[in-house]
Amino acid sequence: MENIIEIRGLKKHFGQLEVLNDIRFSVAPGEVICLIGASGSGKSTLLRCVNLLETPDAGEILVHGQNILQGRMDVNRYRTKVGMVFQSFNLFGNMDVLRNCMVGQTHVLKRSKEEARQKALFFLEKVGMRDFLGASPAQLSGGQKQRVAIARALCMDPEVLLFDEPTSALDPEMVGGVLEVMKGLAREGLTMIVVTHEMGFARDVSTRVVFMDKGVIAEEGTPQDIFQNPQNPRTREFLSRYIQA
Amino acid sequence: MAEFFTKVLDIAQRYWPLFWAGAKVTLLISLTGTVIGLVIGLLVGSVRAVKVEPRDSLGVRIGKHLVHALTSIYIEVFRGTPMIVQSVFLYYLLKPVFKWNPVTAGIFIVSVNTGAYMAEIIRAGIQSVDPGQTEAARSIGMTSMQTMLLVVLPQAVKNSFPAIGNEFVVNIKDTSVLSAISVTDLYFQSIGVAGSIFAYTQTMAITASIYLVLTFTTTRILGLIEKQMGRPKSSFPASQTVPGNPTF
């Protein structure tokens, strides 16, 4: 199948620090890709480059064959196709749960209020937050906020959904609920790229695991390849910490 | 002592229409000036919060730097000089152009002066909004303008409401300097009364009391509004905040 996103020769540095070095990476429809690796290995930066929250220094990002880094590309249009779920939820503090899920639909996609509302209700139901429509983000727990944030992203009908350590800021007992929602989405065939430290999720849910080390992709393969038979010594070293734990 | 208060009461009784007329002008100028100043502050503050981005073309870059420099000059000049000097300077400078009366000039000066302070209040308010929310707004495809109007500014204004209200209270008092251009505000009327009967202490006791009533009432009303804004819009039952299970 044709790739949705294809990344070639991607480079990014912050000051002197090389964060991404010559990344080659592609995403096919229906894939659930987990990016794993130590902190500072460039996972989050790679993810943020995919929807241009970070501007790469060099390289190409081809979306359906078109390079989005070249010329006058409509970045906002593109971003509606690539949803993002953040570690710190980032719900809009001045809006209740329902409006958080509607505002992008009505103001960016120009959907009618009624259509936006129906869509929001559908996805809020799906993430188990239908009973909280009038709640403000400040009234919700971390896990609830993250589920609303997932619904907000889904309401835009993205082709790919990016998750940047979606459970890292959660209390342990909240993690399960969010991971359940993500597993459900994966089962339905949503294309996802997930930066995560949840090795159980990577092993059980992903179709491909990408191990990053010092700004390069050190190894990638099926979860079986990576978890049972890692080739790269750095992968082995990284994973051994999780297996012991 | 008793004599003093008798005199005060006497002055209040005889001249209250003048005090009343002056208080109305004071309120008119300070309220209008604060509201227009807030509008100026919202515009200038938001413009100043726009950052130069690596994707910007050279023209846009130069434009942004220019706007930033001009707004900086505006803010520094109006915050760094006394309003009494600004009022005399601008009143006579622009009189041939606008042919304005002192009250109109007063509203203009208070607006522009307050705008400089408001711009910094709003800029600080914008910075108090978590940048993650801006990223989230951009990630669902909002333009930077939509992000500002729909997400950032409402929260910036709410966060800086106490400081915005304080500007109004300050203006009630500071419009007294407009008597330098013969604006017939509370202070101007009072000094007229005091001079004509040569009773400065007693008259100013009345004037001070009226200013105190105005500022005290305003502070209370602003406090009530602030309390109201702090409340979530819907009454949301606390029992529902227990994490529900996703319905997969």
Side-chain angles (χ1 to χ4, degrees), chain A residues 6-89:
Chain A
E6 207 163 327
I7 291 174
R8 292 182 196 149
L10 198 71
K11 286 184 187 202
K12 174 79 188 173
H13 60 83
F14 296 122
Q16 295 292 316
L17 188 71
E18 285 263 292
V19 190
L20 294 177
N21 195 0
D22 209 10
I23 297 285
R24 193 184 180 89
F25 179 68
S26 66
V27 186
E31 277 196 293
V32 177
I33 301 170
C34 277
L35 295 178
I36 61 170
S39 299
S41 59
K43 320 178 289 289
S44 287
T45 308
L46 174 56
L47 199 70
R48 290 165 60 83
C49 282
V50 171
N51 75 348
L52 299 181
L53 282 179
E54 301 288 352
T55 310
D57 300 327
E60 295 182 315
I61 300 179
L62 304 175
V63 178
H64 294 299
Q66 198 193 350
N67 187 3
I68 57 166
L69 294 178
Q70 222 167 37
R72 295 263 125 236
M73 167 73 200
D74 186 350
V75 177
N76 295 322
R77 196 85 227 141
Y78 166 65
R79 281 184 177 140
T80 65
K81 299 268 164 229
V82 184
M84 178 106 170
V85 174
F86 299 86
Q87 180 176 354
S88 49
F89 331 122

Side-chain angles (χ1 to χ4, degrees), chain A residues 48 75-76 79-80 86 90-95 107-108 125-126 131-132 134-135 139 144 147 152 156 181, chain B residues 55 130 132-133 135-136 138-143 146 150-151 154-155 234 236 240-244 247-248:
Chain A
R48 290 165 60 83
V75 177
N76 295 322
R79 281 184 177 140
T80 65
F86 299 86
N90 298 345
L91 293 181
F92 306 135
N94 56 326
M95 304 177 196
H107 286 81
V108 179
E125 175 87 53
K126 191 168 242 198
D131 294 336
F132 298 82
Q139 292 169 300
Q144 291 173 326
R147 275 146 51 194
R152 174 177 68 182
M156 306 298 286
V181 169
Chain B
R55 300 173 65 86
D130 171 22
Q133 290 188 33
E135 286 199 338
R138 301 309 301 273
S139 82
I140 58 173
M142 282 192 202
T143 62
Q146 285 175 323
L150 295 168
V151 178
Q155 296 181 75
S234 61
F236 182 71
Q240 286 187 8
T241 54
V242 175
T247 52
F248 270 98

Side-chain angles (χ1 to χ4, degrees), chain A residues 202-221:
Chain A
R203 193 186 52 220
D204 301 337
V205 183
S206 64
T207 56
R208 180 148 57 102
V209 177
V210 174
F211 173 71
M212 289 191 67
D213 185 44
K214 299 194 181 85
V216 296
I217 294 178
E219 188 167 0
E220 64 180 310

Side-chain angles (χ1 to χ4, degrees), chain A residues 111-179:
Chain A
R111 287 182 184 149
S112 73
K113 272 225 161 80
E114 193 42 43
E115 193 189 350
R117 193 184 144 84
Q118 289 310 324
K119 191 133 225 159
L121 292 179
F122 175 79
F123 284 114
L124 284 168
E125 175 87 53
K126 191 168 242 198
V127 300
M129 291 300 292
R130 173 76 196 250
D131 294 336
F132 298 82
L133 301 183
S136 84
Q139 292 169 300
L140 302 178
S141 74
Q144 291 173 326
K145 283 184 203 167
Q146 196 58 299
R147 275 146 51 194
V148 174
I150 292 172
R152 174 177 68 182
L154 289 171
C155 282
M156 306 298 286
D157 295 321
E159 282 183 61
V160 186
L161 197 46
L162 313 176
F163 292 83
D164 190 5
E165 302 199 27
T167 57
S168 297
L170 299 179
D171 287 339
E173 62 262 46
M174 304 285 173
V175 171
V178 171
L179 288 181

Side-chain angles (χ1 to χ4, degrees), chain B residues 2-3 19 41 44 49-50 55 60-61 67 70 72-73 116 121 173 176 187 190 201-202 215 229-230 243:
Chain B
E3 202 185 321
F19 288 114
V44 176
V50 174
R55 300 173 65 86
V60 173
R61 228 175 259 240
V67 167
L70 289 175
S72 293
I73 293 171
I121 292 172
K173 295 182 290 173
S176 56
Y187 176 76
S190 307
T201 323
Q202 291 88 341
T215 52
M229 287 199 327

Side-chain angles (χ1 to χ4, degrees), chain B residues 96-154:
Chain B
V97 188
F98 294 137
K99 317 242 179 301
W100 52 14
N101 60 35
V103 172
T104 318
I107 291 175
F108 175 84
I109 288 148
V110 173
S111 303
V112 177
N113 179 282
T114 308
Y117 286 92
M118 289 286 193
E120 287 299 274
I121 292 172
I122 296 296
R123 192 183 54 81
I126 288 171
Q127 281 171 350
S128 76
V129 178
D130 171 22
Q133 290 188 33
T134 303
E135 286 199 338
R138 301 309 301 273
S139 82
I140 58 173
M142 282 192 202
T143 62
S144 51
M145 181 72 110
Q146 285 175 323
T147 305
M148 194 49 110
L149 292 178
L150 295 168
V151 178
V152 179
L153 272 189

